[in-house]
Structures are given as structure tokens and as C-alpha cells.
Amino acid sequence: MRVGIDEAGRGSLIGPMVVAGVAIDESKLNFLKNMGVKDSKQLTRERREKLFSLLSNIVEAFVVVKVFPEDIDVYNLNDLTYNAVMKIILTLSIYNPSVITVDKVGDEKPVIELINKLGYKPNVVHKADELFVEASAASIIAKVVRDNYINMLKEIYGDFGSGYPADPKTINWLKSFYKRSSIPPPIIRRSWKVLRSIAPLYYINKEGKRIW
């Protein structure tokens, strides 16, 4: 058994970061690779959704943790990511995985210590979602769950595009919202520096508190 963990939406201006973990029987890894499971960023949305359906039937289990803007604006983002990762590891440890693969985003020491304490082999590396099928599967699940959540937000707040600061549609939506209301929408990350120029009254200094 292998566990893979990855996130989606880490750099987004709008909406939560979604961290997903999957437990996969090692005998199924080659099948999933042959079916096209790879880093979600290399797939179209339609293909991700089809693979999500496949994965939901093939994997032993998957777990999703959402990290919302109100926490991202207060706490260190790497700490938040790894805090979600450790929740997932503890949940999926019932499957006794031989290896736990995690996409590295900073000081991985707390994650590795937890994996070692549980008696499993840690595999915490950069670009894990490109290199290991179990992490690729997690990246697909995280991305599809986040996309669906973003769709729900758009039904409430209108079409704000991808939600990323590099997207002109996202920036134009925020500028328009700012003109209409002095109260920031709760879906934005108010500590993102792009707000200083386009919505300065929404901007707050990130506290960057450490979780541990």
C-alpha cells in the first residue's frame, strides 16, 4: 500500500487550498499510470474529472482537507499545508502504507518525524506530483475538489475566473467588487500583496504565526 499527498490552490487569491491524500494498493499503480494518471496541471479539466471518477473506484480511500482564507491570512502557509498533510497521514495510517509520498513545500522535518514515528517510509520530495503516481492521484483529487468548490463560489459571487492573481478576469472581478463594497468578500485571501494596489482597504498584513 502507498499513500500519496498533494495540494491544489496554494497560490490562489480566492478560495481554499485543498490538500488531498490517497491510499493505493501498489499492484494498481502501473494500471493508473497507463490510464493517464499524472500531475493534474498537465491534464485538461475534462480529463481530470474522468480520472477522478476512475480513482474514486480504484483507490482504497481518499481524504481531503480544506484550508480557508481566514487561516491562510494568519498562519504560515507551509505550516498550514503540513498540518493538513499530517491530518491526512494519521487518517490513512490505518492502511499501513509501505511508503508515504508527499509533495515538499518547505521544512519537511515535522512530516518526516511523524511518518517515521508511525513506522512508515517517508518520501517527501519536490515535484512528487510529477514523479510518483500516488502523488499524481492526490493532485487530481485535490484539483477536482477545489474546482467544484470554486464553481459553487461563482454561483454566489459571480464569475471571477480562475481565482489566481495572474488571471486578468480575477483581478477585474476584484476591482469591480471593491468599487461596490468596502466590506471584503470572505472568499479572498486578504494578505496577498496584489491587494495593496487594487483593493488597499481589503489588504491586511499577514501575521505568519507558526503552528508549531
Side-chain angles (χ1 to χ4, degrees):
M1 190 71 63
R2 290 199 175 221
V3 163
I5 304 173
D6 193 30
E7 53 74 27
R10 180 177 164 86
S12 180
L13 174 64
I14 297 176
M17 172 176 66
V18 175
V19 185
V22 295
I24 306 174
D25 191 294
E26 291 190 34
S27 65
K28 298 174 181 176
L29 292 174
N30 283 336
F31 170 75
L32 291 174
K33 184 175 182 179
N34 291 335
M35 291 299 294
V37 171
K38 56 184 176 180
D39 177 18
S40 63
K41 295 185 291 294
Q42 300 175 15
L43 300 166
T44 65
R45 181 165 186 167
E46 180 182 10
R47 186 62 183 148
R48 286 195 299 266
E49 289 174 351
K50 288 181 179 179
L51 288 170
F52 179 92
S53 179
L54 172 69
L55 288 166
S56 65
N57 287 303
I58 292 292
V59 303
E60 299 301 312
F62 68 85
V63 180
V64 171
V65 176
K66 300 184 186 77
V67 183
F68 290 96
E70 56 263 34
D71 287 325
I72 293 172
D73 287 336
V74 174
Y75 297 101
N76 178 278
L77 186 58
N78 287 344
D79 287 359
L80 286 169
T81 304
Y82 281 148
N83 190 53
V85 165
M86 289 192 285
K87 288 178 182 177
I88 290 169
I89 290 170
L90 290 170
T91 301
L92 294 179
S93 65
I94 62 171
Y95 291 94
N96 293 316
S98 57
V99 178
I100 297 180
T101 299
V102 181
D103 195 39
K104 182 178 176 179
V105 295
D107 181 8
E108 71 278 23
K109 185 178 178 181
V111 172
I112 289 177
E113 287 179 348
L114 174 62
I115 296 171
N116 284 330
K117 184 178 180 180
L118 293 170
Y120 309 129
K121 180 181 177 182
N123 181 30
V124 185
V125 296
H126 287 299
K127 297 185 177 180
D129 50 356
E130 297 179 15
L131 300 172
F132 300 94
V133 174
E134 60 270 26
S136 299
S139 78
I140 291 170
I141 289 172
K143 179 63 174 168
V144 171
V145 169
R146 180 179 147 81
D147 283 347
N148 290 338
Y149 192 90
I150 291 298
N151 282 348
M152 181 189 70
L153 293 181
K154 287 180 180 179
E155 291 180 3
I156 301 169
Y157 294 95
D159 187 357
F160 49 73
S162 69
Y164 282 81
D167 184 352
K169 191 169 187 177
T170 299
I171 298 303
N172 289 333
W173 173 88
L174 184 57
K175 287 179 178 178
S176 176
F177 197 102
Y178 187 66
K179 287 179 181 178
R180 300 192 310 270
S181 176
S182 61
I183 301 173
I187 63 173
I188 67 169
R189 302 178 189 180
R190 298 180 61 190
S191 59
W192 261 220
K193 291 181 179 179
V194 66
L195 267 65
R196 292 192 298 190
S197 60
I198 63 172
L201 294 179
Y202 290 175
Y203 177 73
I204 58 175
N205 286 315
K206 184 176 178 72
E207 296 182 39
K209 290 181 179 178
R210 300 307 302 266
I211 294 176
W212 46 70

